[in-house]
Amino acid sequence: MKNVVTAKDVAKLAGVSQSSVSRVYFEGANVSEKTRKKVLAAAEELGYRPNEFARSLITNRTKIIGLVMKGVQNPFYPQVLQQFTASFKKWGYSVLFVHTNNDEIQKEDIETLLNYNVAGVVITDATMALSAAEAFRSNEIPLVLFNRKLKTGEFYTVCCNNLSASRQIAEYLIGKGGGDMVYIAGNENTSTSREREAGFRETLERNQVAYRKYASDFTYEGGYATTLKVLEGKKVPSAFFAANDIMALGALDALRQHSIRVPEDTKIIGFDNIDMASWPAYELTTWEQPIEKMVEETVNYLLSEIDEYSGLIKTVEVDGSLIERKTT
Amino acid sequence: MKNVVTAKDVAKLAGVSQSSVSRVYFEGANVSEKTRKKVLAAAEELGYRPNEFARSLITNRTKIIGLVMKGVQNPFYPQVLQQFTASFKKWGYSVLFVHTNNDEIQKEDIETLLNYNVAGVVITDATMALSAAEAFRSNEIPLVLFNRKLKTGEFYTVCCNNLSASRQIAEYLIGKGGGDMVYIAGNENTSTSREREAGFRETLERNQVAYRKYASDFTYEGGYATTLKVLEGKKVPSAFFAANDIMALGALDALRQHSIRVPEDTKIIGFDNIDMASWPAYELTTWEQPIEKMVEETVNYLLSEIDEYSGLIKTVEVDGSLIERKTT
DNA sequence: TTCCATTTTGAATACGTATTCAAAAAACGA
DNA sequence: TCGTTTTTTGAATACGTATTCAAAATGGAA
């Protein structure tokens, strides 16, 4: 009962060969306008759609991009997901979605991607063992780490210019006055948290501003709990910089809990510019990650590598910008 | 240079036929333990992975589920996405992710799903033309509408028991006292908003409680703006029921904007129980949608239909429960 | 018209697997 | 041991498409 309309059926109805039908659906092939019309008419009548699997089998290519995500719970990622799918769709690619709970993408998931012979892979917020990457390299499948950096020279990476951003954030907060600042870190094994820390710390030290770092985990609850811990000390710091927005919101709520006024008694700044940051309840000052540009960079690279594989390794850092609201 | 290890190569190394190699990887086929071991050893040595496309071509089946989502911007949906992928993975299925901006899934996307001959389809928060559904039916591809209802008898539907929930919500609010209540509706063309309205209104009317409905759009900004409009009237209603949490949060912020105390001056209740509802800044009373159960129902149905297609049409309504916090 | 260059076409083949079918091997019962 | 049933095996084929290659058709120049 299944869909049985094949190129052969169309060929018969149109009075041409199967090859000609194939050529009509294959971009760049030579077909006369006459047969093209005949074929399309017959195809329309029968409801023909080329079988992607037969196609991929013979071309050894697919129109599928593997998109691996970690931490969908962060409101930042739905946007990323949406933009990727929209962008890939424009180029005729579909998205095979893989969710991983681990920091490092698992063997199982890698095999899925390889089994489906994906045309390219995007890994957001997670990393990958070098040995696993080798499997993609040897199959000439281009790969991008999105928003995660490993040692340079190992992966093509697209992320925000965290170092420059956190320096500017530090300078901005210094400009607002106050002598001691707190960095609320995300998971320590992420390049994003480490880099944001580095730029922030370095700039504060150069300006002789006292600096404390508190470990946290990129979650709202983490930001909340960590801030409560900060407040156990006697003195309220002059400013907080949280490694992402959602922690900043948690921090803000913790401060309110203690009736500490923001921005009068202390200031707080986040990172990402998620939707919630602009909500009246928060009005969070933050650093906008230029998702569109980051996605664009990623897609462009993948498409060019799909077109002709070079194995190019590079780190692309896209600049974001400060969004000033009412918490600083 | 691409992955060239085929079943034939493995067969040669193992000293068996290609058929035997195939049988090792095909569940339920007859192979002696001896050849299985030989084959697996050879496969391991060569790094063999069966080609999914060749496989699908001949079996006319895939291990791919099409997951269509609308409105990824609602924090409710990342959870849904994650649970679906996790659940399908357990059964060996991968997820082809399709994002649609329209209420009704577009022809383009439907063709993608058909081209990849997906084993089943989940449509969350969107609907589909009956004619499009026919394409799936005729190909015996099972389909589930998740969290959206159309006329019964047309689709297999899994959603929350909105009617019963909204009745209980009305009774709960009546129990809290107060004489006039406002319903903040979501998009009017969604069954979820209409059903939640129906149960709420009906119960209020039966109890002779004044009722007003305000149109909105399921977004935070919508909930905020709509509430401001409600407050233009002289009297603050005794309670608000918002069709989803994110609107309820917007409403709450709008109330605070006007220094109206919750729950003293008015009460508010949402729907979904998204993570943010429990944040200290909000502490929103809401109705929990039992996502796990809904996902489980969906997956079970799809798997059984994949196993043997029956075309069964049914509406499954899963009960949720009231989560009482500090806004009522 | 004829000849040559170019474009278009169809027959045949390949892609990597599952599956049929008959043959071979193994297991079993006596 | 032999005969019979059951299990396992390999050769051949099919899935639906893209692609090669030679043949056919077309177009243009003379």
Side-chain angles (χ1 to χ4, degrees):
Chain A
M1 298 300 99
K2 296 250 189 169
N3 177 33
V4 280
V5 181
T6 112
K8 205 187 275 180
D9 302 328
V10 176
K12 194 181 286 178
L13 179 59
V16 299
S17 72
Q18 179 266 324
S19 323
S20 293
V21 176
S22 171
R23 280 189 267 258
V24 168
Y25 287 88
F26 187 78
E27 216 163 334
N30 274 337
V31 216
S32 70
E33 207 47 43
K34 203 171 68 179
T35 62
R36 174 185 307 270
K37 271 186 186 157
K38 282 197 289 185
V39 167
L40 287 178
E44 173 78 11
E45 184 175 339
L46 298 177
Y48 169 72
R49 282 169 294 100
N51 181 318
E52 284 294 334
F53 293 92
R55 218 165 210 196
S56 295
L57 182 57
I58 196 157
T59 59
N60 203 19
R61 293 178 194 190
T62 64
K63 290 292 221 172
I64 304 179
I65 300 287
L67 183 52
V68 183
M69 290 200 116
K70 180 179 175 293
V72 195
Q73 77 283 355
N74 184 335
F76 177 64
Y77 285 99
Q79 288 183 50
V80 172
L81 174 60
Q82 176 172 350
Q83 298 224 18
F84 267 122
T85 49
S87 185
F88 282 127
K89 189 201 272 188
K90 231 185 306 180
W91 296 97
Y93 287 85
S94 300
V95 167
L96 194 73
F97 180 81
V98 174
H99 179 82
T100 169
N101 289 310
N102 306 76
D103 280 330
E104 194 171 89
I105 172 174
Q106 301 288 286
K107 195 173 174 187
E108 209 177 72
D109 296 318
I110 291 171
E111 298 215 322
T112 301
L113 296 173
L114 291 172
N115 286 350
Y116 283 107
N117 193 20
V118 292
V121 176
V122 179
I123 300 184
T124 69
D125 235 42
T127 63
M128 170 180 260
L130 271 181
S131 60
E134 186 47 37
F136 289 99
R137 202 179 318 253
S138 71
N139 287 7
E140 305 199 341
I141 298 174
L143 178 65
V144 174
L145 287 196
F146 188 89
N147 208 27
R148 273 292 175 281
K149 229 191 260 181
L150 286 187
K151 263 181 267 157
T152 53
E154 293 182 342
F155 290 96
Y156 193 95
T157 302
V158 174
C159 60
C160 172
N161 191 341
N162 291 304
L163 215 52
S164 153
S166 52
R167 283 182 189 137
Q168 292 177 58
I169 287 170
E171 278 161 12
Y172 170 77
L173 287 179
I174 291 170
K176 290 279 179 178
D180 74 308
M181 306 198 183
V182 161
Y183 175 66
I184 302 181
N187 304 56
E188 199 52 44
N189 57 351
T190 63
S191 62
T192 38
S193 179
R194 287 197 310 267
E195 287 190 344
R196 287 166 199 172
E197 175 191 355
F200 189 61
R201 160 178 230 153
E202 165 199 310
T203 305
L204 293 186
E205 286 178 349
R206 190 153 31 77
N207 287 272
Q208 292 159 322
V209 175
Y211 166 88
R212 276 180 289 164
K213 167 185 164 182
Y214 284 79
S216 194
D217 62 358
F218 278 136
T219 70
Y220 174 91
E221 289 77 10
Y224 190 85
T226 303
T227 304
L228 291 183
K229 208 176 294 169
V230 174
L231 297 179
E232 282 172 8
K234 295 155 222 161
K235 203 170 150 238
V236 177
S238 61
F240 290 80
F241 170 34
N244 74 353
D245 277 353
I246 204 160
M247 286 199 298
L249 299 184
L252 200 47
D253 281 338
L255 292 169
R256 287 173 177 162
Q257 186 78 9
H258 277 58
S259 306
I260 295 168
R261 293 170 305 163
V262 178
E264 294 82 358
D265 302 337
T266 187
K267 305 186 190 321
I268 182 158
I269 186 165
F271 206 106
D272 282 348
N273 194 31
I274 59 178
D275 285 345
M276 276 163 274
S278 68
W279 286 7
Y282 293 112
E283 293 275 17
L284 179 71
T285 295
T286 186
W287 191 269
E288 178 182 41
Q289 290 219 57
I291 303 184
E292 317 93 277
K293 271 194 222 158
M294 290 167 69
V295 168
E296 194 187 335
E297 286 281 350
T298 306
V299 172
N300 285 347
Y301 168 74
L302 284 180
L303 290 177
S304 81
E305 288 290 293
I306 288 169
D307 187 47
E308 189 173 352
Y309 188 76
S310 75
L312 171 68
I313 297 290
K314 198 174 139 189
T315 297
V316 177
E317 297 193 326
V318 184
D319 284 328
S321 58
L322 186 78
I323 307 286
E324 200 169 5
R325 296 206 181 86
K326 299 186 179 163
T327 59
T328 52
Chain B
M1 299 300 97
K2 295 248 189 173
N3 178 33
V4 280
V5 182
T6 116
K8 204 186 275 181
D9 301 329
V10 176
K12 193 181 288 179
L13 179 58
V16 300
S17 71
Q18 179 266 324
S19 324
S20 292
V21 175
S22 170
R23 280 190 266 257
V24 169
Y25 287 88
F26 187 77
E27 217 164 332
N30 273 337
V31 216
S32 69
E33 206 48 43
K34 206 170 65 178
T35 61
R36 174 186 305 271
K37 272 187 186 157
K38 282 197 290 185
V39 166
L40 287 179
E44 171 80 10
E45 184 176 337
L46 298 178
Y48 170 73
R49 281 170 293 101
N51 181 318
E52 284 294 335
F53 293 92
R55 223 169 204 191
S56 295
L57 181 57
I58 197 155
T59 60
N60 204 19
R61 290 178 195 193
T62 64
K63 290 291 219 172
I64 304 180
I65 300 286
L67 183 51
V68 183
M69 290 200 115
K70 179 178 175 293
V72 196
Q73 78 283 356
N74 184 334
F76 178 64
Y77 285 97
Q79 289 182 50
V80 172
L81 174 59
Q82 176 173 351
Q83 298 223 22
F84 267 123
T85 49
S87 185
F88 282 126
K89 190 201 272 189
K90 232 185 305 179
W91 296 96
Y93 286 85
S94 300
V95 167
L96 195 74
F97 180 82
V98 175
H99 179 82
T100 170
N101 290 311
N102 306 74
D103 279 331
E104 194 171 89
I105 172 174
Q106 301 289 285
K107 194 174 175 186
E108 207 177 72
D109 296 319
I110 291 171
E111 297 215 323
T112 300
L113 296 173
L114 290 172
N115 286 349
Y116 283 107
N117 194 20
V118 291
V121 177
V122 179
I123 300 183
T124 68
D125 234 40
T127 63
M128 171 181 259
L130 271 181
S131 60
E134 185 47 36
F136 289 99
R137 201 178 318 253
S138 71
N139 287 6
E140 304 199 343
I141 297 174
L143 178 64
V144 174
L145 287 196
F146 187 89
N147 207 27
R148 273 292 175 282
K149 228 191 262 181
L150 286 187
K151 264 181 267 157
T152 52
E154 294 182 343
F155 290 97
Y156 193 95
T157 301
V158 174
C159 60
C160 173
N161 192 339
N162 291 305
L163 215 52
S164 153
S166 53
R167 283 182 190 137
Q168 291 177 58
I169 287 170
E171 277 161 14
Y172 170 77
L173 286 178
I174 292 170
K176 290 279 178 178
D180 73 309
M181 305 197 183
V182 162
Y183 174 66
I184 302 181
N187 305 57
E188 200 51 44
N189 56 352
T190 63
S191 61
T192 38
S193 179
R194 289 196 309 266
E195 287 191 344
R196 287 167 198 171
E197 175 189 356
F200 189 61
R201 159 177 231 154
E202 163 200 313
T203 306
L204 293 185
E205 287 179 347
R206 188 153 32 78
N207 288 272
Q208 292 158 322
V209 175
Y211 165 89
R212 277 180 287 164
K213 167 185 164 183
Y214 284 77
S216 194
D217 61 358
F218 278 137
T219 69
Y220 174 91
E221 288 78 10
Y224 190 86
T226 303
T227 303
L228 290 183
K229 207 175 294 171
V230 174
L231 297 179
E232 284 172 7
K234 294 157 222 159
K235 200 167 152 245
V236 177
S238 60
F240 291 81
F241 170 34
N244 74 353
D245 277 353
I246 204 160
M247 284 199 300
L249 299 184
L252 200 46
D253 281 338
L255 292 170
R256 287 174 177 162
Q257 186 78 9
H258 277 58
S259 306
I260 295 168
R261 292 169 308 162
V262 179
E264 293 82 359
D265 302 336
T266 186
K267 304 188 191 319
I268 181 157
I269 187 164
F271 207 105
D272 281 350
N273 194 29
I274 60 178
D275 285 345
M276 275 161 274
S278 69
W279 288 6
Y282 293 112
E283 293 275 17
L284 179 72
T285 295
T286 186
W287 191 269
E288 177 183 42
Q289 291 219 57
I291 303 184
E292 316 93 279
K293 270 194 223 159
M294 290 166 68
V295 168
E296 194 187 334
E297 286 283 351
T298 305
V299 172
N300 285 347
Y301 168 74
L302 285 180
L303 290 176
S304 83
E305 287 291 294
I306 288 169
D307 187 46
E308 190 173 350
Y309 189 77
S310 76
L312 170 68
I313 297 289
K314 198 175 140 190
T315 296
V316 176
E317 297 194 325
V318 184
D319 284 328
S321 59
L322 186 78
I323 307 287
E324 199 169 6
R325 295 207 181 87
K326 300 186 179 163
T327 58
T328 53

PDB file of all heavy atoms in Angstrom, chain A residues 107-127:
ATOM      1  N   LYS A 107      29.416   8.022  21.912  1.00  0.00           N
ATOM      2  CA  LYS A 107      29.701   7.139  20.778  1.00  0.00           C
ATOM      3  C   LYS A 107      28.436   6.785  20.001  1.00  0.00           C
ATOM      4  O   LYS A 107      28.396   6.839  18.784  1.00  0.00           O
ATOM      5  CB  LYS A 107      30.345   5.857  21.309  1.00  0.00           C
ATOM      6  CG  LYS A 107      31.002   5.021  20.245  1.00  0.00           C
ATOM      7  CD  LYS A 107      31.765   3.867  20.860  1.00  0.00           C
ATOM      8  CE  LYS A 107      32.288   2.943  19.769  1.00  0.00           C
ATOM      9  NZ  LYS A 107      32.884   1.715  20.335  1.00  0.00           N
ATOM     10  N   GLU A 108      27.425   6.440  20.768  1.00  0.00           N
ATOM     11  CA  GLU A 108      26.124   6.095  20.215  1.00  0.00           C
ATOM     12  C   GLU A 108      25.610   7.148  19.235  1.00  0.00           C
ATOM     13  O   GLU A 108      25.194   6.847  18.117  1.00  0.00           O
ATOM     14  CB  GLU A 108      25.163   6.044  21.394  1.00  0.00           C
ATOM     15  CG  GLU A 108      24.002   5.128  21.283  1.00  0.00           C
ATOM     16  CD  GLU A 108      23.240   5.209  22.606  1.00  0.00           C
ATOM     17  OE1 GLU A 108      22.597   6.251  22.857  1.00  0.00           O
ATOM     18  OE2 GLU A 108      23.299   4.242  23.359  1.00  0.00           O
ATOM     19  N   ASP A 109      25.669   8.388  19.677  1.00  0.00           N
ATOM     20  CA  ASP A 109      25.147   9.481  18.859  1.00  0.00           C
ATOM     21  C   ASP A 109      26.025   9.719  17.643  1.00  0.00           C
ATOM     22  O   ASP A 109      25.537  10.032  16.561  1.00  0.00           O
ATOM     23  CB  ASP A 109      25.056  10.758  19.695  1.00  0.00           C
ATOM     24  CG  ASP A 109      24.071  10.603  20.836  1.00  0.00           C
ATOM     25  OD1 ASP A 109      22.995  10.029  20.595  1.00  0.00           O
ATOM     26  OD2 ASP A 109      24.379  11.030  21.951  1.00  0.00           O
ATOM     27  N   ILE A 110      27.305   9.560  17.836  1.00  0.00           N
ATOM     28  CA  ILE A 110      28.222   9.715  16.713  1.00  0.00           C
ATOM     29  C   ILE A 110      27.918   8.676  15.646  1.00  0.00           C
ATOM     30  O   ILE A 110      27.916   8.957  14.453  1.00  0.00           O
ATOM     31  CB  ILE A 110      29.673   9.578  17.204  1.00  0.00           C
ATOM     32  CG1 ILE A 110      30.021  10.781  18.070  1.00  0.00           C
ATOM     33  CG2 ILE A 110      30.635   9.457  16.038  1.00  0.00           C
ATOM     34  CD1 ILE A 110      31.326  10.666  18.787  1.00  0.00           C
ATOM     35  N   GLU A 111      27.645   7.469  16.097  1.00  0.00           N
ATOM     36  CA  GLU A 111      27.336   6.411  15.137  1.00  0.00           C
ATOM     37  C   GLU A 111      26.057   6.711  14.375  1.00  0.00           C
ATOM     38  O   GLU A 111      25.961   6.451  13.184  1.00  0.00           O
ATOM     39  CB  GLU A 111      27.212   5.071  15.864  1.00  0.00           C
ATOM     40  CG  GLU A 111      28.512   4.676  16.531  1.00  0.00           C
ATOM     41  CD  GLU A 111      28.736   3.188  16.510  1.00  0.00           C
ATOM     42  OE1 GLU A 111      27.749   2.445  16.676  1.00  0.00           O
ATOM     43  OE2 GLU A 111      29.896   2.763  16.321  1.00  0.00           O
ATOM     44  N   THR A 112      25.092   7.259  15.071  1.00  0.00           N
ATOM     45  CA  THR A 112      23.864   7.656  14.383  1.00  0.00           C
ATOM     46  C   THR A 112      24.183   8.612  13.250  1.00  0.00           C
ATOM     47  O   THR A 112      23.745   8.435  12.115  1.00  0.00           O
ATOM     48  CB  THR A 112      22.893   8.337  15.366  1.00  0.00           C
ATOM     49  OG1 THR A 112      22.590   7.420  16.405  1.00  0.00           O
ATOM     50  CG2 THR A 112      21.620   8.759  14.662  1.00  0.00           C
ATOM     51  N   LEU A 113      24.979   9.628  13.568  1.00  0.00           N
ATOM     52  CA  LEU A 113      25.321  10.623  12.557  1.00  0.00           C
ATOM     53  C   LEU A 113      26.064   9.978  11.391  1.00  0.00           C
ATOM     54  O   LEU A 113      25.809  10.294  10.222  1.00  0.00           O
ATOM     55  CB  LEU A 113      26.172  11.729  13.178  1.00  0.00           C
ATOM     56  CG  LEU A 113      25.471  12.554  14.256  1.00  0.00           C
ATOM     57  CD1 LEU A 113      26.436  13.513  14.926  1.00  0.00           C
ATOM     58  CD2 LEU A 113      24.305  13.322  13.643  1.00  0.00           C
ATOM     59  N   LEU A 114      26.957   9.080  11.702  1.00  0.00           N
ATOM     60  CA  LEU A 114      27.720   8.416  10.638  1.00  0.00           C
ATOM     61  C   LEU A 114      26.832   7.478   9.828  1.00  0.00           C
ATOM     62  O   LEU A 114      26.949   7.399   8.607  1.00  0.00           O
ATOM     63  CB  LEU A 114      28.900   7.646  11.236  1.00  0.00           C
ATOM     64  CG  LEU A 114      30.020   8.521  11.817  1.00  0.00           C
ATOM     65  CD1 LEU A 114      31.036   7.663  12.560  1.00  0.00           C
ATOM     66  CD2 LEU A 114      30.700   9.319  10.719  1.00  0.00           C
ATOM     67  N   ASN A 115      25.955   6.782  10.512  1.00  0.00           N
ATOM     68  CA  ASN A 115      25.057   5.872   9.792  1.00  0.00           C
ATOM     69  C   ASN A 115      24.190   6.614   8.782  1.00  0.00           C
ATOM     70  O   ASN A 115      23.907   6.093   7.717  1.00  0.00           O
ATOM     71  CB  ASN A 115      24.134   5.146  10.771  1.00  0.00           C
ATOM     72  CG  ASN A 115      24.858   4.074  11.545  1.00  0.00           C
ATOM     73  OD1 ASN A 115      25.996   3.739  11.223  1.00  0.00           O
ATOM     74  ND2 ASN A 115      24.214   3.548  12.562  1.00  0.00           N
ATOM     75  N   TYR A 116      23.794   7.808   9.147  1.00  0.00           N
ATOM     76  CA  TYR A 116      22.961   8.566   8.227  1.00  0.00           C
ATOM     77  C   TYR A 116      23.802   9.404   7.288  1.00  0.00           C
ATOM     78  O   TYR A 116      23.290  10.188   6.518  1.00  0.00           O
ATOM     79  CB  TYR A 116      21.955   9.435   8.996  1.00  0.00           C
ATOM     80  CG  TYR A 116      20.805   8.609   9.507  1.00  0.00           C
ATOM     81  CD1 TYR A 116      20.667   8.295  10.844  1.00  0.00           C
ATOM     82  CD2 TYR A 116      19.865   8.096   8.612  1.00  0.00           C
ATOM     83  CE1 TYR A 116      19.630   7.519  11.305  1.00  0.00           C
ATOM     84  CE2 TYR A 116      18.820   7.325   9.061  1.00  0.00           C
ATOM     85  CZ  TYR A 116      18.707   7.037  10.399  1.00  0.00           C
ATOM     86  OH  TYR A 116      17.672   6.259  10.839  1.00  0.00           O
ATOM     87  N   ASN A 117      25.098   9.218   7.395  1.00  0.00           N
ATOM     88  CA  ASN A 117      26.003   9.872   6.448  1.00  0.00           C
ATOM     89  C   ASN A 117      25.660  11.359   6.286  1.00  0.00           C
ATOM     90  O   ASN A 117      25.560  11.865   5.164  1.00  0.00           O
ATOM     91  CB  ASN A 117      25.913   9.149   5.101  1.00  0.00           C
ATOM     92  CG  ASN A 117      27.034   9.554   4.164  1.00  0.00           C
ATOM     93  OD1 ASN A 117      28.054  10.073   4.614  1.00  0.00           O
ATOM     94  ND2 ASN A 117      26.838   9.347   2.881  1.00  0.00           N
ATOM     95  N   VAL A 118      25.485  12.014   7.412  1.00  0.00           N
ATOM     96  CA  VAL A 118      25.109  13.430   7.366  1.00  0.00           C
ATOM     97  C   VAL A 118      26.110  14.245   6.559  1.00  0.00           C
ATOM     98  O   VAL A 118      27.287  13.924   6.504  1.00  0.00           O
ATOM     99  CB  VAL A 118      24.997  14.028   8.789  1.00  0.00           C
ATOM    100  CG1 VAL A 118      23.825  13.440   9.527  1.00  0.00           C
ATOM    101  CG2 VAL A 118      26.283  13.809   9.556  1.00  0.00           C
ATOM    102  N   ALA A 119      25.604  15.293   5.940  1.00  0.00           N
ATOM    103  CA  ALA A 119      26.456  16.132   5.101  1.00  0.00           C
ATOM    104  C   ALA A 119      27.366  17.007   5.954  1.00  0.00           C
ATOM    105  O   ALA A 119      28.447  17.411   5.498  1.00  0.00           O
ATOM    106  CB  ALA A 119      25.602  17.004   4.193  1.00  0.00           C
ATOM    107  N   GLY A 120      26.944  17.295   7.172  1.00  0.00           N
ATOM    108  CA  GLY A 120      27.742  18.125   8.060  1.00  0.00           C
ATOM    109  C   GLY A 120      27.194  18.038   9.471  1.00  0.00           C
ATOM    110  O   GLY A 120      26.089  17.540   9.681  1.00  0.00           O
ATOM    111  N   VAL A 121      27.985  18.508  10.429  1.00  0.00           N
ATOM    112  CA  VAL A 121      27.589  18.399  11.828  1.00  0.00           C
ATOM    113  C   VAL A 121      27.826  19.716  12.559  1.00  0.00           C
ATOM    114  O   VAL A 121      28.862  20.353  12.373  1.00  0.00           O
ATOM    115  CB  VAL A 121      28.395  17.288  12.534  1.00  0.00           C
ATOM    116  CG1 VAL A 121      28.052  17.225  14.013  1.00  0.00           C
ATOM    117  CG2 VAL A 121      28.155  15.943  11.886  1.00  0.00           C
ATOM    118  N   VAL A 122      26.853  20.094  13.360  1.00  0.00           N
ATOM    119  CA  VAL A 122      27.027  21.226  14.266  1.00  0.00           C
ATOM    120  C   VAL A 122      26.894  20.705  15.688  1.00  0.00           C
ATOM    121  O   VAL A 122      25.937  20.005  16.001  1.00  0.00           O
ATOM    122  CB  VAL A 122      25.950  22.308  14.055  1.00  0.00           C
ATOM    123  CG1 VAL A 122      26.157  23.454  15.027  1.00  0.00           C
ATOM    124  CG2 VAL A 122      25.961  22.804  12.636  1.00  0.00           C
ATOM    125  N   ILE A 123      27.844  21.042  16.512  1.00  0.00           N
ATOM    126  CA  ILE A 123      27.766  20.640  17.911  1.00  0.00           C
ATOM    127  C   ILE A 123      27.680  21.893  18.754  1.00  0.00           C
ATOM    128  O   ILE A 123      28.611  22.688  18.791  1.00  0.00           O
ATOM    129  CB  ILE A 123      29.003  19.819  18.316  1.00  0.00           C
ATOM    130  CG1 ILE A 123      29.102  18.569  17.448  1.00  0.00           C
ATOM    131  CG2 ILE A 123      28.942  19.445  19.781  1.00  0.00           C
ATOM    132  CD1 ILE A 123      30.224  17.653  17.833  1.00  0.00           C
ATOM    133  N   THR A 124      26.548  22.077  19.426  1.00  0.00           N
ATOM    134  CA  THR A 124      26.418  23.273  20.238  1.00  0.00           C
ATOM    135  C   THR A 124      26.558  22.919  21.703  1.00  0.00           C
ATOM    136  O   THR A 124      25.957  21.970  22.184  1.00  0.00           O
ATOM    137  CB  THR A 124      25.044  23.956  20.050  1.00  0.00           C
ATOM    138  OG1 THR A 124      24.039  23.129  20.608  1.00  0.00           O
ATOM    139  CG2 THR A 124      24.750  24.176  18.596  1.00  0.00           C
ATOM    140  N   ASP A 125      27.397  23.680  22.355  1.00  0.00           N
ATOM    141  CA  ASP A 125      27.498  23.581  23.790  1.00  0.00           C
ATOM    142  C   ASP A 125      28.021  22.255  24.295  1.00  0.00           C
ATOM    143  O   ASP A 125      27.865  21.931  25.467  1.00  0.00           O
ATOM    144  CB  ASP A 125      26.120  23.812  24.418  1.00  0.00           C
ATOM    145  CG  ASP A 125      26.215  24.924  25.432  1.00  0.00           C
ATOM    146  OD1 ASP A 125      26.888  25.897  25.117  1.00  0.00           O
ATOM    147  OD2 ASP A 125      25.641  24.793  26.525  1.00  0.00           O
ATOM    148  N   ALA A 126      28.609  21.480  23.433  1.00  0.00           N
ATOM    149  CA  ALA A 126      29.195  20.229  23.892  1.00  0.00           C
ATOM    150  C   ALA A 126      30.514  20.071  23.162  1.00  0.00           C
ATOM    151  O   ALA A 126      30.837  20.826  22.253  1.00  0.00           O
ATOM    152  CB  ALA A 126      28.274  19.052  23.607  1.00  0.00           C
ATOM    153  N   THR A 127      31.258  19.090  23.547  1.00  0.00           N
ATOM    154  CA  THR A 127      32.533  18.865  22.866  1.00  0.00           C
ATOM    155  C   THR A 127      32.562  17.436  22.358  1.00  0.00           C
ATOM    156  O   THR A 127      31.598  16.695  22.463  1.00  0.00           O
ATOM    157  CB  THR A 127      33.715  19.087  23.814  1.00  0.00           C
ATOM    158  OG1 THR A 127      33.627  18.129  24.866  1.00  0.00           O
ATOM    159  CG2 THR A 127      33.703  20.483  24.374  1.00  0.00           C
TER     160      THR A 127
END
